[in-house]
Amino acid sequence: MWAELYSLRRAVASLEEKWLQAINTNGPDLLAPLLADKFVSTSPEGKVTGKAETLVDVKTFEKNSGANSEMKVIVYGDTAIAIGILKAKTKDPSGKIVDLNLQWTDMWVKMPNRNWQCVASHGSPIKI
């Protein structure tokens, strides 16, 4: 049982790393299969968007780098909650490079085809 739980945690953590790769490379094609069709995201500003808007955002997100830290995955059967901190350098509206630090929470579900997909995501700005 512990080996299976560890394997599930690693699988979801690996998907989070693919998501980070999509952000760092402005790669919506990398992110699309990770998101459920009815995916919902709440931005740090409180804006609620779906899968299509999220894929546009990842394509146009201006940043210099991004890394996840303090990631934890908690598995509840065919559902998993992943939490972590994203640290990135991004551009503000004036073009100035600023630090972006977000505490994020993602909810993953193992779909009928046995693939994990994210169904909901939320990010909150934090001071580090």
Side-chain angles (χ1 to χ4, degrees), residues 18-69:
K18 286 181 184 179
W19 192 328
L20 180 64
Q21 181 183 2
I23 290 171
N24 283 333
T25 62
N26 295 94
D29 293 340
L30 292 173
L31 183 57
L34 305 181
L35 305 181
D37 289 339
K38 295 180 182 179
F39 171 80
V40 176
S41 176
T42 306
S43 75
E45 298 80 27
K47 182 180 175 188
V48 178
T49 58
K51 181 175 181 174
E53 297 93 344
T54 300
L55 295 175
V56 169
D57 286 348
V58 80
K59 187 175 182 178
T60 59
F61 184 61
E62 289 197 46
K63 75 329 191 177
N64 288 349
S65 63
N68 282 327
S69 65

Side-chain angles (χ1 to χ4, degrees), residues 4-19 30-37 39 51 73-82 106-120:
E4 180 183 356
L5 186 58
Y6 177 80
S7 177
L8 292 173
R9 287 181 182 151
R10 268 309 316 139
V12 172
S14 176
L15 295 171
E16 289 289 354
E17 290 304 318
K18 286 181 184 179
W19 192 328
L30 292 173
L31 183 57
L34 305 181
L35 305 181
D37 289 339
F39 171 80
K51 181 175 181 174
V73 178
I74 305 140
V75 177
Y76 301 96
D78 286 345
T79 303
I81 307 293
D106 294 337
M107 180 178 285
W108 295 84
V109 174
K110 190 182 286 187
M111 298 299 181
N113 66 5
R114 308 310 291 159
N115 291 332
W116 288 92
Q117 287 190 309
C118 188
V119 296

Side-chain angles (χ1 to χ4, degrees), residues 87-124:
K87 297 178 184 180
K89 301 275 188 193
T90 187
K91 290 184 183 178
D92 70 11
S94 71
K96 179 182 173 190
I97 301 292
V98 295
D99 290 324
L100 173 68
N101 299 301
L102 294 178
Q103 175 70 55
W104 53 262
T105 303
D106 294 337
M107 180 178 285
W108 295 84
V109 174
K110 190 182 286 187
M111 298 299 181
N113 66 5
R114 308 310 291 159
N115 291 332
W116 288 92
Q117 287 190 309
C118 188
V119 296
S121 182
H122 180 268
S124 297

